[in-house]
């Protein structure tokens, strides 16, 4: 089976499993897991931040950030198809007591002018803006990379209004590899940022929430505990993360090449609407129009041929490349798409 549903489906390699088995561990609630501490120090140094906190998931990283930066009753500016809006089960409202102020983006990206217009005036009757969240790369936008200049300009708008910024960097490593920009060039513009080890990097679990403010770190540990994310001998998971960071960053380029190849092939199929030029990284989002089958039937027909993808609403589908997809599997996926979507 060729599984393009997500880059989260990868399985740890034998070498990664060996690194996990060998990990030195301790109780991380006491701050005594040497492998977790090593991972946190490694990631903080990589992104030029003072601290990084290991959390079980990308969702928890985002939700800690929202809780830490806001007061209940405030609102958070975020793009309308962001993961925080679409896939986190309303956690910002349920757990932090804030509302989300959505801005419709272009392939997931919002502009400094849109952000400026969305910031609420500081007057007693109006809800107050507590945080601005960006997502890079943007999942539902199709793995879109935020131009650094746009981030810089949004940061300057946020600074003028004294509003903190958080980055959902679940796939920031994809942006870093595609642009060859140093990790800190993105990180410097955010008060907090989260990165995931369980997406393209191929680790089984784990994300890191980074910050410069050490009081924020203390509060983050308390909220992580409150949200049920404080773990014990989590060095076993951290060891997989360290292995992934040491071995799996540069190879993301292969995933980007494979996604581009898929998009170029899809573009040739008459029922498919996709612009291969829009594929910046490892995610291909495409529409199927005028096909005799509906989306669930198309997904089932592809599965029948040995290819898994996700229907993501309306006539849209998502295919994601990752480390368990070889060049030969990419070619085969192209053939299957051509066969099933042609008629
Ligand atoms: N995204 C998953 C699904 O939840 C949609 C996927 O298959 O792409 N931020 C972004 C941008 C994400 O894409 C994801 C996962 C997360 C956060 C959450 O990560 P986890 O699943 O670790 O909570």
């Amino acid at each position: 089976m060729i599984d393009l549903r997500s880059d989260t489906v990868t399985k740890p390699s034998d070498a990664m499993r060996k690194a996990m088995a060998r990990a030195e561990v301790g109780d991380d609630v006491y701050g005594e897991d040497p492998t977790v501490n090593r991972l946190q120090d490694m990631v903080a140094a990589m992104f030029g931040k003072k601290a990084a906190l290991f959390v079980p998931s990308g969702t928890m990283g985002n939700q800690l950030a929202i809780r830490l930066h806001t007061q209940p009753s405030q609102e958070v500016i975020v793009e309308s198809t962001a993961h925080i809006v679409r896939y986190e089960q309303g956690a910002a409202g349920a757990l932090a007591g804030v509302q989300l102020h959505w801005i419709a983006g272009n392939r997931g990206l919002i502009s400094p002018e849109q952000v400026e217009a969305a910031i609420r005036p500081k007057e007693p009757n109006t809800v107050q803006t507590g945080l601005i969240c960006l997502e890079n790369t943007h999942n539902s936008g199709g793995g879109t990379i935020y131009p650094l200049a746009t981030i810089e300009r949004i940061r300057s708008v946020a600074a003028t209004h004294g509003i903190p910024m958080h980055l959902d960097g679940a796939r920031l490593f994809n942006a870093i590899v595609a642009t060859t920009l140093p990790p800190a060039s993105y990180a410097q513009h955010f008060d907090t940022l989260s990165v995931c080890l369980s997406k393209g990097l191929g680790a089984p679990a784990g994300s890191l929430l980074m910050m410069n403010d050490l009081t924020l770190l203390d509060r983050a540990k308390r909220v992580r505990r409150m949200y049920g994310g404080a773990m014990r001998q989590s060095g076993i998971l951290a060891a997989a993360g360290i292995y992934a960071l040491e071995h799996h960053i540069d190879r993301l380029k292969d995933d980007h090449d494979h996604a581009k190849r898929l998009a170029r092939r899809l573009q040739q199929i008459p029922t498919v609407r996709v612009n291969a030029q829009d594929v910046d990284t490892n995610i291909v989002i495409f529409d199927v129009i005028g096909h005799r089958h509906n989306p669930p039937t198309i997904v089932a027909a592809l599965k029948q041929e040995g290819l898994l993808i996700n229907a993501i609403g309306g006539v849209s589908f998502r295919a994601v490349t990752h480390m368990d997809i070889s060049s030969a599997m990419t070619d085969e996926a192209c053939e299957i798409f051509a066969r099933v979507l042609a008629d």
Side-chain angles (χ1 to χ4, degrees), residues 5-8 56-60 62 82-84 87-88 135-140 168-171 194 196 198-199 206-207 283 310 318 320:
R5 286 172 303 168
S6 183
D7 48 8
T8 58
S57 68
T59 301
M60 187 170 289
N62 287 336
H83 195 274
I84 286 171
Y87 297 113
E88 300 191 7
E135 185 177 311
N136 190 21
T137 65
H138 199 291
N139 178 354
S140 297
D168 175 350
R171 296 188 180 82
S194 51
C196 288
S198 60
K199 310 290 176 301
S207 293
I283 299 180
N310 276 328
R318 185 184 78 153
V320 186

Side-chain angles (χ1 to χ4, degrees), residues 3-10 199-200 251 255 258 282 320-326:
D3 193 346
L4 301 181
R5 286 172 303 168
S6 183
D7 48 8
T8 58
V9 301
T10 55
K199 310 290 176 301
R251 62 148 312 284
D255 300 344
H258 293 157
N282 68 327
V320 186
T321 54
H322 52 77
M323 59 184 296
D324 292 353
I325 298 296
S326 64

Side-chain angles (χ1 to χ4, degrees), residues 325-342:
I325 298 296
S326 64
S327 198
M329 287 158 99
T330 305
D331 289 337
E332 200 183 333
C334 288
E335 301 282 305
I336 298 172
F337 276 133
R339 261 200 319 273
V340 172
L341 298 178

Side-chain angles (χ1 to χ4, degrees), residues 86-87 139-140 284-287 295 299 310-318:
R86 206 167 169 175
Y87 297 113
N139 178 354
S140 297
V284 185
I285 292 191
F286 59 95
D287 289 349
V299 168
N310 276 328
I312 56 165
V315 292
S316 299
F317 297 82
R318 185 184 78 153

